[in-house]
Amino acid sequence: MIESLLIANRGEIACRIIRTARALGIRTVAVYSDADANALHVRQADEAVHIGASPARESYLVGDRIVAAAKATGAQAIHPGYGFLSENADFAQAVLDAGLIWVGPNPDSIRAMGLKDAAKQRMIAAGVPVTPGYLGEDQSPERLKAEADSIGYPVLIKAVAGGGGKGMRRVDTAAEFADSLVSCQREAASSFGNTDVLIEKYILSPRHIEVQVFGDRHGNVVHLFERDCSLQRRHQKVIEEAPAPGMDAATRDAICAAAVKAAKAVDYVGAGTIEFIADASEGLRADRIWFMEMNTRLQVEHPVTEEITGQDLVEWQLRVASGEPLPKRQDELAINGWAMEARLYAEDPVTGFLPSTGTLDNFHLDDTVARIETGVRAGDTVSPFYDPMIAKLITKGTTRAEAMERLAFTCDSVLTWPVKNNAGFLAALLRRPEVFDASIDTGFIAKNLESLVVGVEMSDPLLEMGAINIFKQAGGTDVAIAPHKYDGELDDVWTDMLGFRMNAPANPLIWMLADGELRSSRIGSTRLGVGSLLWSNGNEILIVEKGWPHRFSAARSGGNLAGGAADGAILSPMPGRIIAVDVLAGDTVTKGQKLVTLEAMKMEHSLTAPFDGIVADLNAIEGEQVTEGTMLVRIEKDS
Ligand code: ADP
Ligand code: ADP
Ligand code: MG
């Protein structure tokens, strides 16, 4: 067995690999860029090597530095993770040439599957059914157009070097072909440095079905069944599951056998995925499933396969790379239960899924019914340099419905703040009847985007409805429902609040978690007329508006609300202008002392210290406009 391993990746996958390596007694070496100097994967590894500046081109994609880091630290092997250099045959070769073990397939296998046209030619030769289309060398626009005409519209133009859902154009009519070709080639040139394209029949009612395969150096190849990744946005997977709903045993046997055949055709070693596209207009049928491409690496969604088979695929990779035979024979592998994964992104569905960067002041993922794979912690920064996926949420159930319900629950309890996330969107998706019935195809999200995203947008009246209900229902002593200007001990808030209600201002400010974000709302300022209360357990409520559930809970003092008043972070309770800052960073302050004065709604509001302590952070600047929820001052208890 390998004794030391360098992981040429970052984020959740680097952490995932380190976990298994450690369990196997393997010493781990992380690599990192400037932006990742304090990243979780760096902390978790036994050793870490700085390999360059923040842009991936200057660090995670510089093969020479990674090989040099392995040499310098005495690592015996390199695991590339996914993305980055994982499907770069030249890098794999460089690793081997340096006398190191490459945790992946032979460079020739990567090359054979690297370009989509060559891969499909190879599969046709091996007798694997492929999507009908044109794979020729003649790339003249006239020829490509003629081929598209004869295939029949709609067609899909695909960059042969494409990946990550890029370099693809669906063309519905002959008239649009020329323009789509030009724009596809332009994207292919800038993203992949290769303008060659292939043309495929666009499959109607498409479902993405893929098969996990594994080979060893002793000529064995097995499959670990299929995954369904049909819930996609812009050709990128959003929610994945295993097994595929509606897959009968005969169809499964046929597609898994085709996958094994495909892997054997390229002498495949290690973890790989054969991706198929299915015409599901009449359910999944063996004669309507075609090879699309092979990913010659560990896949993002590998955990769902691990959950239903009980295997650790990273362990398999490390054993195979060490020269051991596959841990299991085909007849020792079986499907047990159902698993689902959702990709949690730091992005804002409301702004068209723009990545949301910044510091994760609050970060909490509920692992009571889920397996969480993440590479970040509270306090980490989501930088603009890399993929904004911050975690994968994976659940298992004995039935699909159970796995799904658990995943929806887990999405509901996601909290990231002030960084935005797509959890509300994921939860809305998981509660759609079409998703529940698995009657969807890859176009489902695009077709329903408006209603899925409206579901996560929170209107002021809805927030207020949440605030009123939280106010009415929350109980106990640790509820941090803080009226504006409240300066008592946090634990006394609720008690005080009850008394406070009698002669309080008519519209106290309520802090709450609304769909995973820390929000505030004022009671009594807007006319209600939204939503209906669906469920409540005393301090959490679910309000349904326009068919979408929104979850509200009281911000808790003992919980994970690092940005709440709980730990002394003073947030701007409303949009306004800072008119005075009465403290300096490092000052000692006493409970109730005035820190900052905010002018809002034509009134002055003093924000005071919640307890004795020191000014640990000071972000408030006199004269500046601030938005609601901006962290202005943070007081730390001096101990
Ligand atoms: P799959 O086919 O495995 O679902 P994708 O093609 O969506 O995968 O995933 C590979 C992509 O993951 C790469 O294109 C890259 O953008 C992204 N990626 C690479 N490394 C990381 C990482 N450490 N964390 C998150 N995303 C990553
Ligand atoms: P990438 O390398 O970007 O992952 P793929 O060839 O795997 O490219 O295609 C990505 C996605 O595009 C698929 O998961 C599927 O949703 C869609 N797609 C690809 N080929 C077809 C096709 N012929 N018909 C319909 N949809 C397709
Ligand atoms: Mg693909």
Side-chain angles (χ1 to χ4, degrees):
M1 178 59 102
I2 295 168
E3 284 169 8
S4 53
L5 176 71
L6 180 141
I7 297 110
N9 214 302
R10 63 179 302 283
E12 69 84 17
I13 194 61
C15 297
R16 162 77 191 87
I17 295 163
I18 290 169
R19 191 170 73 231
T20 289
R22 173 144 309 151
L24 294 172
I26 299 171
R27 184 171 67 92
T28 55
V29 180
V31 292
Y32 65 95
S33 66
D34 288 348
D36 281 339
N38 293 311
L40 195 58
H41 75 282
V42 172
R43 292 289 171 87
Q44 288 182 347
D46 296 313
E47 240 177 290
V49 181
H50 176 251
I51 51 164
S54 302
R57 259 174 294 103
E58 296 170 40
S59 47
Y60 298 106
L61 290 172
V62 186
D64 293 348
R65 290 205 201 140
I66 292 170
V67 170
K71 287 293 204 188
T73 54
Q76 271 175 296
I78 294 186
H79 193 310
Y82 55 71
F84 296 134
L85 294 168
S86 61
E87 295 185 271
N88 185 317
D90 295 339
F91 177 63
Q93 189 60 57
V95 170
L96 297 174
D97 291 346
L100 301 167
I101 295 171
W102 166 248
V103 184
N106 298 319
D108 283 346
S109 309
I110 301 179
R111 239 170 239 124
M113 292 299 194
L115 294 178
K116 291 182 201 286
D117 54 345
K120 285 178 73 178
Q121 305 273 26
R122 193 95 181 230
M123 291 302 108
I124 293 169
V128 176
V130 307
T131 329
Y134 172 71
L135 305 169
E137 270 174 27
D138 185 348
Q139 292 282 315
S140 67
E142 300 73 29
R143 176 67 187 274
L144 292 170
K145 165 82 168 37
E147 293 289 346
D149 290 346
S150 80
I151 293 165
Y153 296 90
V155 298
L156 194 61
I157 309 176
K158 269 190 196 178
V160 301
K166 276 206 202 141
M168 264 189 271
R169 292 290 182 284
R170 172 180 166 160
V171 188
D172 289 299
T173 61
E176 298 161 44
F177 186 85
D179 285 350
S180 297
L181 177 63
V182 171
S183 94
C184 185
Q185 286 172 327
R186 201 186 308 122
E187 187 171 304
S190 74
S191 300
F192 315 111
N194 179 342
T195 58
D196 286 1
V197 297
L198 58 83
I199 316 271
E200 264 178 21
K201 175 90 194 143
Y202 188 87
I203 306 300
L204 296 171
S205 307
R207 268 174 65 187
H208 175 115
I209 307 286
E210 58 182 36
V211 176
Q212 176 71 54
V213 292
F214 236 102
D216 65 17
R217 301 203 180 280
H218 308 275
N220 304 304
V221 178
V222 299
H223 67 79
L224 290 99
F225 311 100
E226 81 282 0
R227 297 182 284 255
D228 188 326
C229 315
S230 301
L231 278 170
Q232 302 185 344
R233 198 177 71 80
R234 299 194 175 166
H235 305 299
Q236 296 225 50
K237 299 158 187 167
V238 175
I239 289 175
E240 305 103 338
E241 62 185 294
M247 177 78 78
D248 62 46
T251 308
R252 172 171 298 129
D253 287 348
I255 177 181
C256 291
V260 169
K261 198 195 272 183
K264 283 188 170 158
V266 293
D267 302 318
Y268 201 76
V269 171
T273 295
I274 314 284
E275 295 190 333
F276 295 91
I277 191 93
D279 166 359
S281 52
E282 293 173 69
L284 294 177
R285 292 174 36 172
D287 59 349
R288 295 198 192 167
I289 303 183
W290 301 276
F291 171 90
M292 199 161 49
E293 67 161 344
M294 179 171 194
N295 293 324
T296 51
R297 54 169 162 89
L298 188 68
Q299 199 95 332
V300 173
E301 58 274 20
H302 74 275
V304 294
T305 298
E306 297 186 318
E307 293 300 320
I308 62 159
T309 58
Q311 305 300 311
D312 178 334
L313 296 189
V314 175
E315 177 178 346
W316 279 46
Q317 287 189 296
L318 296 172
R319 291 197 181 284
V320 165
S322 304
E324 293 181 22
L326 292 174
K328 297 274 181 211
R329 292 191 316 265
Q330 190 68 63
D331 61 7
E332 294 173 317
L333 292 163
I335 297 176
N336 178 11
W338 212 287
M340 265 196 197
E341 173 185 279
R343 299 188 187 195
L344 184 71
Y345 282 94
E347 64 184 13
D348 186 1
V350 175
T351 60
F353 297 89
L354 280 181
S356 173
T357 55
T359 309
L360 281 164
D361 288 339
N362 289 279
F363 181 62
H364 178 67
L365 305 177
D366 190 324
D367 62 0
T368 46
V369 291
R371 163 177 166 186
I372 308 282
E373 296 290 349
T374 185
V376 292
R377 309 148 288 193
D380 282 357
T381 299
V382 179
S383 82
F385 298 106
Y386 317 108
D387 191 291
M389 188 173 81
I390 46 175
K392 302 188 305 204
L393 315 175
I394 305 119
T395 55
K396 191 186 174 186
T398 47
T399 61
R400 182 170 183 268
E402 190 176 33
M404 202 164 183
E405 203 173 292
R406 290 177 171 173
L407 191 54
F409 167 86
T410 304
C411 290
D412 278 340
S413 42
V414 166
L415 164 62
T416 73
W417 192 84
V419 171
K420 302 260 200 293
N421 67 66
N422 65 338
F425 169 74
L426 295 170
L429 203 49
L430 288 163
R431 291 204 173 87
R432 287 294 284 247
E434 301 92 327
V435 176
F436 187 84
D437 297 345
S439 59
I440 57 115
D441 63 34
T442 58
F444 180 79
I445 291 177
K447 269 180 240 128
N448 296 280
L449 198 56
E450 226 168 296
S451 60
L452 289 165
V453 173
V454 163
V456 299
E457 220 170 339
M458 177 107 33
S459 62
D460 286 347
L462 189 69
L463 264 177
E464 186 183 333
M465 166 101 176
I468 289 176
N469 281 283
I470 283 289
F471 183 82
K472 281 194 203 147
Q473 312 229 357
T477 53
D478 64 343
V479 181
I481 295 179
H484 178 48
K485 280 169 97 168
Y486 180 77
D487 58 3
E489 279 294 332
L490 204 83
D491 285 350
D492 301 333
V493 167
W494 182 248
T495 330
D496 288 7
M497 186 74 128
L498 295 174
F500 172 87
R501 249 160 103 185
M502 319 290 291
N503 39 28
N507 57 346
L509 188 82
I510 309 294
W511 285 100
M512 64 198 145
L513 273 183
D515 287 350
E517 281 191 35
L518 186 64
R519 305 283 289 260
S520 65
S521 181
R522 198 169 288 287
I523 291 183
S525 50
T526 344
R527 237 180 333 114
L528 290 179
V530 293
S532 63
L533 188 64
L534 184 72
W535 169 88
S536 145
N537 68 0
N539 78 44
E540 271 189 308
I541 57 169
L542 216 52
I543 295 178
V544 174
E545 188 191 36
K546 295 182 193 137
W548 301 117
H550 296 269
R551 198 182 198 97
F552 298 83
S553 53
R556 283 172 168 279
S557 63
N560 298 281
L561 275 178
D567 74 341
I570 313 297
L571 310 181
S572 166
M574 63 194 101
R577 199 169 63 89
I578 307 286
I579 54 171
V581 180
D582 299 320
V583 288
L584 295 171
D587 278 2
T588 301
V589 294
T590 51
K591 181 179 159 181
Q593 184 177 332
K594 195 163 94 178
L595 306 170
V596 171
T597 309
L598 182 76
E599 185 192 56
M601 301 162 140
K602 300 206 175 82
M603 276 173 61
E604 287 187 12
H605 309 265
S606 324
L607 303 176
T608 56
F611 42 71
D612 296 354
I614 44 175
V615 177
D617 283 311
L618 182 65
N619 294 336
I621 299 171
E622 213 171 283
E624 267 199 358
Q625 231 10 81
V626 294
T627 55
E628 180 180 293
T630 306
M631 208 272 278
L632 302 175
V633 188
R634 195 168 59 79
I635 307 299
E636 236 167 45
K637 278 195 174 135
D638 43 5
S639 42

